[in-house]
Amino acid sequence: MSVYTMIVIIQSLSILVLAVGAIYLISNWRGKEYSYLVLFCIVTMVNNIGALIEIISPGMEGILLGTKFSYVGKVFIPLTFFLFVMQYCEIKVPHKVQLLLTCFHMFIAFLVFTYPLQNWFYTYVEYATDGLFPHNNYGHGVMYHVYTACLVLYFLVVFAVIIKILMQENRRKRRIQMYYMLACSICAIAGFLIFLTGVTGGY
């Protein structure tokens, strides 16, 4: 089995797992944090569908379409995870702040969707055949860097909150759950950093 085939299978399975996860959470609703988890599963699934389109598309235009589709979900992954952690840790995020953050993420998705009519997020697109599979390389505009800084800020806040609770919490079950959240955060930022290195060739 080729690496390309394995990636397509993994990507497809991830979509299936997220769909099942969302259905399970909906059928076992237990509060507001479950709402954020369901949204997290759905937006991650949309992102992964877009990524699958990128992987299997034969040319630059198809890959760009997959990228645009993935951002419909991708931009809301950090937001929904952040809100879930805050809700679970009983830290109130004011509604106005939630609305402001939601508008910001919607604006980022709008910028991606309207490329190449403007170049605030992406400045150029180049088709490349190196790496694990053909992919697009993107030039990064000012809003891409603002968005990246926002992701880092989310990570730092979530990381600080989880560490603080771990230092104060004595209940074993609660500590295990916080360790899971910490692992999720570290895996997410590690994956993003690996992507930025270019080692994965666009994946």
Side-chain angles (χ1 to χ4, degrees), residues 3 49 51 106 196:
V3 174
I49 292 172
M106 289 177 67
L196 292 179

Side-chain angles (χ1 to χ4, degrees), residues 6-178:
M6 193 184 329
I7 289 174
V8 171
I9 292 173
I10 291 172
Q11 199 70 32
S12 301
L13 287 175
S14 73
I15 294 167
L16 178 62
V17 168
L18 287 163
V20 172
I23 293 170
Y24 174 80
L25 289 168
I26 291 171
S27 62
N28 291 272
W29 212 276
R30 294 180 188 172
K32 196 171 182 179
E33 64 266 20
Y34 271 57
S35 300
Y36 292 129
L37 267 184
V38 169
L39 288 173
F40 176 78
C41 286
I42 291 172
V43 296
T44 305
M45 182 174 64
V46 171
N47 170 69
N48 287 12
I49 292 172
L52 182 61
I53 293 172
E54 291 181 63
I55 294 169
I56 64 177
S57 293
M60 185 179 75
E61 291 302 322
I63 296 172
L64 180 58
L65 179 63
T67 299
K68 290 182 176 183
F69 184 85
S70 72
Y71 263 90
V72 174
K74 180 179 291 186
V75 292
F76 295 107
I77 294 174
L79 176 61
T80 52
F81 184 71
F82 168 76
L83 292 175
F84 164 71
V85 172
M86 295 301 105
Q87 178 69 29
Y88 189 82
C89 296
E90 300 178 348
I91 297 175
K92 185 172 178 59
V93 180
H95 289 298
K96 289 183 178 179
V97 173
Q98 292 186 40
L99 180 61
L100 182 64
L101 291 174
T102 301
C103 289
F104 170 74
H105 286 270
M106 289 177 67
F107 179 62
I108 295 298
F110 173 78
L111 292 180
V112 175
F113 233 78
T114 55
Y115 176 86
L117 299 178
Q118 45 69 37
N119 60 0
W120 288 14
F121 196 83
Y122 289 139
T123 55
Y124 67 84
V125 178
E126 290 181 347
Y127 183 66
T129 56
D130 60 331
L132 299 175
F133 48 82
H135 60 279
N136 287 344
N137 291 322
Y138 299 93
H140 299 145
V142 61
M143 289 308 297
Y144 178 91
H145 298 295
V146 171
Y147 178 65
T148 301
C150 180
L151 297 183
V152 174
L153 185 59
Y154 276 132
F155 171 75
L156 292 176
V157 171
V158 167
F159 188 80
V161 167
I162 293 174
I163 292 299
K164 181 181 178 180
I165 290 180
L166 280 172
M167 292 175 64
Q168 298 173 343
E169 185 61 61
N170 294 319
R171 291 171 293 179
R172 183 174 179 273
K173 182 179 180 180
R174 177 85 166 177
R175 287 179 63 83
I176 291 173
Q177 291 170 337
M178 299 312 298

